[in-house]
Amino acid sequence: MTPRTPPPELGRNTAAATGDLVVFVVGMRINRFRSPRGWVPVGRATGPVIRELMTARGSGLLGSRTRLGPPRVIEVIQYWESQEKLLAYASDTRRQHRPAWAEFNRRVRESRGAVGIFHENYTVSAGGYETIYVDMPLYGLAAATGVRPVGERGDTAAARLGLR
């Protein structure tokens, strides 16, 4: 059975996000396809952590999506309420991330270059982001926070950014 495609949110919308937010991007690049023992375990390590986060109320995670990037790259893009909540989750030894991260790093070292990893973390101040979605299913920041009609924030990008 094929997963149902979500219906589009008709009209011109913007993400309902307010205030500061954090964009966290983490991923892996398969450097040597012929060394699956080096990269398959690294890829599998992320699933349990993401599942835990999606069900952990109060973690600060607003939303997450996994996508295939440029050739050989798998990345996870997450939206967080704050750096404090992201770092608190990442360092909590009672949660799955901390032991998974240690195992992840061990496996990357053992892969001898079969897999590479990356991690980017951005704090975006209120008024420092602007979104628009026209006749789109919920996507990106809108999937994490919901949508509002564009007119509620301004009809131009400059207005939505507060640059009138």
Side-chain angles (χ1 to χ4, degrees), residues 30-109:
I30 301 167
N31 293 329
R32 290 196 311 263
F33 277 113
R34 294 180 188 211
S35 299
R37 286 187 299 188
W39 55 265
V40 168
V42 173
R44 285 188 179 151
T46 60
V49 173
I50 292 171
R51 279 190 295 279
E52 177 183 61
L53 273 169
M54 296 305 281
T55 59
R57 296 202 182 269
S59 69
L61 179 70
L62 298 171
S64 178
R65 73 173 189 258
T66 302
R67 69 179 205 152
L68 296 175
R72 303 191 268 181
V73 173
I74 301 167
E75 66 185 3
V76 178
I77 301 168
Q78 297 179 335
Y79 302 95
W80 285 78
E81 291 175 12
S82 69
Q83 285 289 353
E84 292 78 18
K85 288 193 175 186
L86 170 60
L87 297 174
Y89 175 77
S91 61
D92 188 341
T93 57
R94 297 166 297 168
R95 301 290 193 158
Q96 291 196 29
H97 175 268
R98 194 73 179 148
W101 182 245
E103 178 69 8
F104 185 82
N105 279 306
R106 183 184 67 78
R107 290 193 179 272
V108 167
R109 283 190 302 276

Side-chain angles (χ1 to χ4, degrees), residues 107-128:
R107 290 193 179 272
V108 167
R109 283 190 302 276
E110 288 175 356
S111 83
R112 300 185 187 276
V115 63
I117 60 169
F118 61 92
H119 156 158
E120 300 176 352
N121 186 342
Y122 308 97
T123 299
V124 187
S125 299

